[in-house]
Amino acid sequence: MSRTRGQAVVGTTTLVGTQPVPVEVQVDVAGGLPGFSIVGLGDAAVLEARERVRSAVRSSGYSFPNARVVVNLAPGPLRKHGTGFDLPIALGVLAATDQIPAAVWRGRRAVGELSLDGRVRPIPGMLAHALGARRDRTPLIGPAESAEIGRELPGLEYHPVVSLARLVAPDGHSSRLVRERYSRAGAPDLSDVSGLKVARRALEIAAAGGLNLLFSGPPGSGKTMLARRLGSILPPLDEEERIDVALVHSVAGLDERAALTGERPFRAPHHSASLAGLVGGGTPPRPGEVSLAHNGVLFLDEVPEFAPSSLQALRQPMEDGWVMLVRAEGRIRFPARFALIAAANPCPCGFLGDPVKRCSCTEGAVHRYRARVGGPLMDRIDMAVTVDRIDPALLVTAAEGESSAAVRARVMEARERAMTAGRALTVALSGGTLLAACRMRPAARQLLTDLSRQHHLSGRGVTRLMRLARTIADLERSDRVDAGHLIEAI
């Protein structure tokens, strides 16, 4: 027979952005009028745990105490959210009433949502909770469905739980992710693109240096088709990048398995996306599209149709590689280092400068249309390329272009050359580091100065030009930036 009085403490974590913060679930079962209360700044999902825990405990063959049950989530001033507190609360109640042995919960953390029948379900951010447990060298009790996460993190002691009635999951039922399964089979390939040599070259340079790119041209010229093939020429995620990307996707409640197998994210939000949807926000704050594209590609099709406020919010992430959300309860930081690929028509009707169809837009309409993107954002785009209408003869003859595999080999070689020289990815170079990486001779320095003056480039524009030239030099296996590289860049 279980006790009707007692206390227990079970460890767990709550997420602040992508960071897991330790929380103590303190359970007190005492005499008095029967009741069940949860204190400690929990949101609605936390408070609803009372009904889920009560039903899960009874459905699993245990008895819920007919007493006054108080659950305190410490520290008190920290806001807690989500359904992951269900499992630690239930374990605390069962431990306080001697219905489970102390060894089940002592010195461990627990995270998981409970069904009314006692089954333990995964929650968004399981990877973040697992990383926190590994960081603190604490065993983690969690859903059996998330056991593959525990197996993918060396050094983590993970105890899978199917339900409250079976606190230890049978071995062999959780499949491990096989990272070698990552394959681009069936993905869009550059061989589908006929012609468009300049645009293809720009795409290759963008992939090699992690640079930002704008395609401009009439409707149907191939801008979107090109952008969607950037991922096919990028190298797979490395070990550290896999964890970073998977962590953001896990916190957002998305499937993180693709990231763990090495696939770079490709995000293409609709132009009706809100500011919070694009850069992050909500209650509790969640990562936006710029963070979900971390270490991958953010594609903005019809970029002038996006709200100007949303576009201008991209400026800081493009510079810093992260987003800082400031709220009343504190600051939350999400990673956001991505390659921006944008596509736009040259005017509202789309046919300005087209040799076949005549543009019907007024000069004022064209100016307003282009002004929606804004000069400061355009100043952060490394390349602007015009995509002309494709010759129908190339489409009719079904002439294949160079495959993504061949282009990807050159991209990976260029990146490897940069790393071998002790440099970071070109997009991360600036100031004296960038100048030293270019290793320009006096004639090339003079040409850079003349080109910058001729095209009225700002300081950021000169930096972009040097980054672009340095990437071209890497693709051509050159240790120095020469005049030819600068001329192609401009």
Side-chain angles (χ1 to χ4, degrees):
M1 186 175 179
S2 63
R3 293 186 301 174
T4 57
R5 295 186 180 185
Q7 292 185 341
V9 177
V10 180
T12 186
T13 49
T14 190
L15 297 183
V16 179
T18 60
Q19 298 301 313
V21 180
V23 173
E24 278 191 355
V25 178
Q26 304 167 354
V27 179
D28 178 69
V29 180
L33 293 175
F36 191 1
S37 58
I38 299 176
V39 297
L41 283 185
D43 65 1
V46 175
L47 298 180
E48 289 172 352
R50 293 173 297 188
E51 304 307 321
R52 291 192 295 271
V53 169
R54 196 194 309 268
S55 296
V57 167
R58 291 172 175 170
S59 300
S60 301
Y62 302 104
S63 62
F64 195 86
N66 186 30
R68 183 172 179 268
V69 179
V70 178
V71 176
N72 178 44
L73 306 178
L78 177 67
R79 293 188 178 275
K80 293 88 177 176
H81 58 85
T83 56
F85 290 92
D86 291 4
L87 181 58
I89 290 174
L91 292 178
V93 171
L94 296 177
T97 54
D98 277 347
Q99 298 186 73
I100 60 173
V104 172
W105 54 270
R106 185 170 297 162
R108 302 176 181 180
R109 289 178 183 170
V111 177
E113 178 184 332
L114 291 177
S115 299
L116 297 183
D117 59 0
R119 287 180 294 113
V120 182
R121 298 165 50 88
I123 62 169
M126 280 302 305
L127 179 59
H129 292 288
L131 287 171
R134 185 179 70 169
R135 175 197 64 196
D136 299 334
R137 300 180 181 180
T138 304
L140 180 65
I141 303 174
E145 294 178 38
S146 300
E148 68 271 12
I149 293 178
R151 296 176 181 178
E152 287 294 325
L153 297 178
L156 172 65
E157 183 180 343
Y158 188 89
H159 299 275
V161 177
V162 174
S163 67
L164 284 182
R166 302 167 62 193
L167 288 177
V168 179
D171 293 333
H173 289 337
S174 297
S175 60
R176 177 175 180 170
L177 291 175
V178 180
R179 294 180 175 178
E180 288 71 23
R181 289 179 184 171
Y182 171 60
S183 172
R184 294 181 174 87
D189 195 279
L190 269 181
S191 60
D192 302 331
V193 181
S194 300
L196 303 179
K197 293 183 179 180
V198 175
R200 288 172 58 102
R201 173 67 169 172
L203 203 67
E204 181 177 344
I205 296 171
L211 305 176
N212 304 314
L213 173 62
L214 170 65
F215 286 132
S216 177
S221 58
K223 304 184 298 293
T224 302
M225 178 178 64
L226 282 163
R228 292 190 178 278
R229 280 153 180 77
L230 177 58
S232 68
I233 62 175
L234 289 172
L237 296 168
D238 62 28
E239 194 74 20
E240 183 178 352
E241 290 174 334
R242 290 175 182 179
I243 297 298
D244 290 343
V245 175
L247 177 60
V248 176
H249 283 238
S250 177
V251 169
L254 304 178
D255 191 349
E256 69 275 2
R257 288 177 294 181
L260 288 174
T261 55
E263 183 177 349
R264 290 189 181 272
F266 182 93
R267 305 295 299 184
H270 190 260
H271 59 73
S272 61
S274 65
L275 178 60
L278 200 59
V279 301
T283 305
R286 297 291 186 191
E289 291 293 327
V290 297
S291 296
L292 296 174
H294 180 57
N295 285 329
V297 180
L298 177 66
F299 175 46
L300 302 184
D301 201 2
E302 303 294 346
V303 64
E305 301 297 336
F306 282 78
S309 59
S310 298
L311 291 178
Q312 299 313 311
L314 297 177
R315 289 154 53 182
Q316 182 260 334
M318 290 172 67
E319 286 288 321
D320 301 332
W322 45 264
V323 171
M324 183 70 75
L325 302 179
V326 181
R327 298 294 184 265
E329 60 268 20
R331 301 189 301 172
I332 298 174
R333 176 169 164 164
F334 290 116
R337 187 167 298 283
F338 55 88
L340 174 66
I341 305 296
N345 294 329
C347 66
C349 77
F351 297 104
L352 180 65
D354 189 88
V356 179
K357 291 190 177 182
R358 183 178 179 182
C359 173
S360 60
C361 303
T362 64
E363 184 177 348
V366 174
H367 176 74
R368 288 190 297 271
Y369 181 75
R370 293 181 174 179
R372 289 180 61 86
V373 178
L377 180 62
M378 286 297 299
D379 204 36
R380 288 167 170 81
I381 294 178
D382 301 288
M383 289 180 285
V385 178
T386 299
V387 183
D388 296 321
R389 186 187 300 273
I390 303 175
D391 184 356
L394 292 176
L395 299 177
V396 173
T397 57
E400 286 193 359
E402 190 177 22
S403 69
S404 291
V407 178
R408 185 170 63 250
R410 292 197 298 269
V411 168
M412 295 179 68
E413 182 182 352
R415 290 194 174 203
E416 183 64 28
R417 174 177 292 275
M419 299 302 174
T420 302
R423 294 187 273 114
L425 200 62
T426 310
V427 72
L429 298 177
S430 63
T433 306
L434 176 59
L435 194 61
C438 290
R439 300 178 61 193
M440 290 182 289
R441 294 185 173 90
R445 288 176 183 267
Q446 185 60 47
L447 177 61
L448 173 63
T449 302
D450 294 342
L451 290 173
S452 301
R453 287 173 176 169
Q454 179 183 350
H455 292 274
H456 309 289
L457 297 182
S458 65
R460 184 181 288 115
V462 176
T463 299
R464 290 200 327 266
L465 181 59
M466 293 172 62
R467 287 174 179 167
L468 189 51
R470 179 62 264 179
T471 306
I472 294 172
D474 285 332
L475 285 169
E476 296 188 358
R477 305 175 183 176
S478 174
D479 294 331
R480 293 179 179 272
V481 170
D482 295 324
H485 305 140
L486 288 169
I487 292 172
E488 182 180 359
I490 200 68

